[in-house]
Amino acid sequence: MSGAQRRSVILGTGSELPTKVITNQDLERMLETSDEWITVRTGIKQRRVLEEGKGNADMAYHAAVRAMADAGMEANDLDAIIMGTVTPDYLFPSSACVLEDMLGARKAFSFDVNAACAGFLNALAVADSFIRTGRARTALVLGSDALSRLLNWDDRSTCILFGDGAGAVVLGASENGDRGILSVLLRTDGSYAKTLYVPAGGSLRPANPETVQNNEHTITMNGKEVFKVAVRSMEEISRQALKEAGIDLEQVSLVIPHQANRRIIVALAERLGVPMEKVVVNVDKYGNTSAASVPVALDEARREGRIKPGDVVLLNAFGAGFAWGAAVVRF
Ligand code: UT7
């Protein structure tokens, strides 16, 4: 790769998890399930839930402030704020706009990206394009979701899986060297739109007493189908992203997969031939935090010293749409 090529470099990371914890034992008291079932089938032990009266941007704010401090950047240094989310504070405006005001980022243009669990990678790809084409020199990229707001707490096949959280990275343009986002790829297959979705609350089925009565504003999912396609798709796109970056799997120091289910992560690692020591897993602590899962895990991995300068990290995610993606980043 040419040294003169402009790339996006990750200058800082940050994350925020709500303080309220719901353990598997708590769920045992709420519905017919068991810690054993949840642990064996998913690897999840507990999840965080955003307190009432707070919205997505309240979580995202703390993640953003930490990422900016890590990058040594002020709000007015930001050219763009792009947030992957499916749980914005309002249907509109975007949570990125709400966050822009909270941060006082007066020069930034801001918008949300809706790609469910792949939201962060989609936001990263968009920000990377702005930076590589010179439209922005800096960008705050977030994955932030409060899926607890979309759960039917009587549906044991979904409510045990999800949690809330926010993760952020600050990107900056760099003209020198081989650091930064080496490749980022996105895919979708809309024929699976109803395999994982929230049936009501949009323009097709606006809220009415019947939709509320029928719990149609909550997540509906065929978990087995998601599982199957997720593993296959994340393997495929990871290999493609590595190929495009000119990186062999042996050169990858760390894989940071979407945290949906420990069994999905293990199956993916097996298919890629990557040992679990090189794979970040925190789904036990937070459950599936949707768009936040990859940036939260990335931030934790950095703070735990698992990423050193020069390391190549593979990120991947899969979720509703279906939408999925992968990125290869050199730190
Ligand atoms: O980011 C993408 C978001 N979604 C995902 O990643 C989901 C991917 N899918 C999965 O993680 C798994 O499919 C699940 C964890 C959702 C389910 O695991 P599974 O091994 O596919 O179980 P299953 O749905 O086939 O259910 C097996 C049994 C059923 O009972 P019967 O019909 O065999 O008698 C369920 O009723 O387990 C029962 N079951 C439960 N039992 C106790 C389902 N949920 C629970 C529960 N506690 N929470």
Side-chain angles (χ1 to χ4, degrees), residues 120-270:
F120 174 74
L121 280 172
N122 277 257
L124 191 74
V126 174
D128 180 52
S129 299
F130 280 127
I131 287 179
R132 279 191 295 100
T133 54
R135 286 277 162 201
R137 295 287 302 173
T138 60
L140 175 66
V141 182
L142 303 108
S144 184
D145 263 318
L147 286 197
S148 67
R149 302 297 202 247
L150 301 179
L151 293 177
N152 173 358
W153 291 98
D154 293 326
D155 177 5
R156 65 179 186 175
S157 70
T158 53
C159 77
I160 55 127
L161 296 171
F162 299 99
D164 303 341
V169 306
V170 173
L171 294 183
S174 166
E175 268 82 25
N176 58 349
D178 54 2
R179 274 195 330 135
I181 297 176
L182 307 184
S183 68
V184 50
L185 296 185
L186 306 175
R187 297 277 183 274
T188 48
D189 183 346
S191 67
Y192 288 100
K194 291 186 180 173
T195 309
L196 171 51
Y197 77 132
V198 176
S203 58
L204 185 63
R205 288 180 62 67
N208 65 42
E210 188 196 335
T211 62
V212 173
Q213 174 75 28
N214 295 340
N215 263 317
E216 290 179 86
H217 299 272
T218 59
I219 293 175
T220 302
M221 177 175 75
N222 175 344
K224 273 208 186 312
E225 192 68 13
V226 179
F227 195 115
K228 210 170 56 192
V229 186
V231 175
R232 193 174 63 221
S233 305
M234 280 195 286
E235 181 201 357
E236 212 169 82
I237 201 163
S238 296
R239 291 191 187 279
Q240 285 163 355
L242 287 165
K243 192 169 174 208
E244 191 171 300
I247 296 285
D248 292 331
L249 259 169
E250 297 69 47
Q251 295 171 266
V252 172
S253 314
L254 204 61
V255 180
I256 306 183
H258 174 46
Q259 308 287 312
N261 181 325
R262 189 182 164 86
R263 282 160 57 216
I264 293 180
I265 297 172
V266 170
L268 175 66
E270 274 171 10

